[in-house]
Structures are given as C-alpha cells and as structure tokens.
Amino acid sequence: MFRNMSIAKKLMLVIYSYLLVMFILLSVIAFAVIDATVKSEMRESSLNNVIHANLLIEKEQQYLYGIAKYYSISPEVQDLLVMSNAGLHTEGMTDELISVSKARMYVLGLALYNINGDVVDYMSIDNSNGPVNQSNTQYERPFTRLINEKRTFEWEFIDQGDTVYLKMDNSPKLCLWYVIKSTNTMRPIGALAISIDTRKLLTAENIFNDFCKNQMIISKNPQFTGISARQQLEFTTHLLLTD
C-alpha cells in the first residue's frame, strides 16, 4: 500500500509518523521528569515532617527529663521513698508536687515506685488506673535496669491497652523511667515514671498534614513495611533517646 502511494502522501505519512514518534518520546521524557520531581518533593516533605516531629519529641523529652530530675532531689520524694522502703505508711505526694507535672501540656501521668517496684503514689488524667508492680513481671522492665544501676533513665513507648505499666491503659504514651537515688548514699531508693500522650504530641503544630496521613512506609525492615507514617513514628519514638 505504501508503494502505491503518491510521493506527496508518502512524504506526509513519513512526517506524521516522525511527529508521532517524537510526541510519544517527549511525553515519556516529560512523564519521567515530572515523576522524578514529584517523588523528590514527596521525599523532601516526608523528611521535613520527620525532622520537625523529632525536634518536637526531643523538646518534650528534655522537659520531662528536667521534671524527673526535680522530683529525684525533692526532699518530699526522698522522704516518701525512705518511709515506703521501711514498710511505713505514706500519704503520697502533695498536690503542689503533682502540679509540677500537671502544668505541662500532653503529660498523661506519673508514678512513683519504691525499691521493690510497688507504687507509692501515681497520677493519671485519662482515667487509666491499676499501676503494676514493676518487679514481679515476666520480662525485665526499665525499672529493673534502673534499680540495678544499669541505667539512670530510659524511654519506653507504651501502646494503648498494654498492661506492662497500668492494668487499664487508655492512651498510647512515651514514658520516661528515671532512677531516684538517695541524696545521702547515692544508692537507688526508687524510680519515677512520667509519660506524655503521643497522639497529642504528634499532631501538634500540624506536623501531620493530609499528605502525611496517607503516606506509607516501605522498608526492608518487616516491622515498618505497610504501616503509616504516624504509626512508624510512634513505634520509633522510644528509640530516639534510649540512654
């Protein structure tokens, strides 16, 4: 059929074919460039979100660390633990002392433990209850490592419904475990646990926008594959400042 065409038609067919090929080629190139640009912007946006979230988490961690240090040297806390370790009855912390942690946004609660892992006093603002003895557990807990002087503090992510900290835990939390040492002997006499709500923390300052809510983490690590950015960040918060 091509051989039977006139020279003009053959020339037009060649030109149209050339233009079609060029159009397809340019379309493929344009698509590749746009795809690479969009992926680059998505990666940059994701990285910025993670950086901002990490900075916010570290800021709150440092604040909790400061509160824990304040409690650890408080004469009232020292006396409570000494009395509790001696088997004497205690009235618990005063409202004034508890208000130090309540004044901080996102703080869910705190618990004060004696040397045996028993709760001397605790406070919770989300109706969580039933503090668990931290010595009589199947697995080694942060409390045990603190009392054995393996660490001075430890961060732990506790998911909603977990029973390692409270028998009824209504909120996912980032918990700081901090050893309390006697100001006289410098030996451990108890520990403090203070926690913040990760749901409120990770939504602060609009860190997770609509794009990030729909983003998925793709990783060779089976723990991260197919989970949302929010879940991945909540899962790794306890790894940020382990010690």
Side-chain angles (χ1 to χ4, degrees):
M1 183 182 296
F2 181 77
R3 286 180 300 184
N4 295 329
M5 291 181 180
S6 63
I7 295 178
K9 290 183 177 180
K10 289 180 180 180
L11 183 60
M12 291 296 295
L13 181 60
V14 170
I15 292 174
Y16 286 144
S17 299
Y18 173 79
L19 292 176
L20 179 61
V21 171
M22 289 300 297
F23 175 77
I24 295 174
L25 181 61
L26 291 175
S27 297
V28 170
I29 294 174
F31 177 80
V33 171
I34 293 173
D35 182 62
T37 302
V38 170
K39 288 181 178 179
S40 176
E41 291 178 352
M42 290 175 66
R43 284 193 295 267
E44 183 177 356
S45 176
S46 301
L47 178 60
N48 289 334
N49 283 329
V50 172
I51 290 174
H52 292 159
N54 284 345
L55 290 175
L56 180 59
I57 291 172
E58 289 177 4
K59 176 183 176 182
E60 293 299 324
Q61 284 180 314
Q62 290 302 316
Y63 194 92
L64 289 189
Y65 186 73
I67 294 177
K69 289 183 69 175
Y70 170 79
Y71 280 125
S72 69
I73 61 176
S74 166
E76 181 182 336
V77 171
Q78 291 275 323
D79 291 342
L80 281 174
L81 291 177
V82 170
M83 292 177 62
S84 179
N85 291 336
L88 301 176
H89 174 72
T90 63
E91 297 295 335
M93 293 184 288
T94 63
D95 292 340
E96 182 179 356
L97 193 60
I98 292 177
S99 66
V100 173
S101 57
K102 276 188 173 182
R104 185 62 178 177
M105 190 180 299
Y106 314 133
V107 169
L108 277 175
L110 64 89
L112 182 65
Y113 300 86
N114 64 17
I115 196 72
N116 299 316
D118 295 320
V119 175
V120 178
D121 197 7
Y122 86 101
M123 176 275 295
S124 177
I125 66 171
D126 66 343
N127 295 321
S128 297
N129 58 74
V132 176
N133 180 288
Q134 293 299 306
S135 292
N136 300 329
T137 57
Q138 182 179 359
Y139 304 102
E140 185 181 61
R141 298 283 299 134
F143 172 86
T144 307
R145 291 187 284 272
L146 298 182
I147 296 301
N148 292 335
E149 299 189 77
K150 294 181 179 179
R151 302 186 181 212
T152 57
F153 69 93
E154 186 170 333
W155 295 97
E156 180 184 32
F157 175 73
I158 303 175
D159 204 356
Q160 180 177 352
D162 281 353
T163 57
V164 295
Y165 174 55
L166 298 167
K167 294 179 181 178
M168 180 177 290
D169 204 331
N170 298 323
S171 305
K173 54 179 60 64
L174 180 61
C175 187
L176 168 63
W177 294 87
Y178 192 90
V179 67
I180 298 179
K181 296 183 178 182
S182 169
T183 53
N184 296 322
T185 65
M186 296 308 296
R187 299 290 297 174
I189 57 175
L192 176 76
I194 182 169
S195 58
I196 52 178
D197 192 334
T198 56
R199 295 172 302 181
K200 295 180 180 178
L201 177 63
L202 298 180
T203 55
E205 299 180 7
N206 196 28
I207 287 178
F208 286 93
N209 50 30
D210 292 336
F211 159 75
C212 199
K213 288 178 182 177
N214 298 322
Q215 184 182 358
M216 303 297 289
I217 301 297
I218 304 299
S219 170
K220 293 182 180 179
N221 189 330
Q223 295 174 319
F224 292 162
T225 302
I227 67 176
S228 69
R230 181 188 303 278
Q231 291 171 321
Q232 190 269 348
L233 188 53
E234 289 182 349
F235 182 79
T236 55
T237 48
H238 70 293
L239 299 177
L240 290 175
L241 291 177
T242 304
D243 199 351

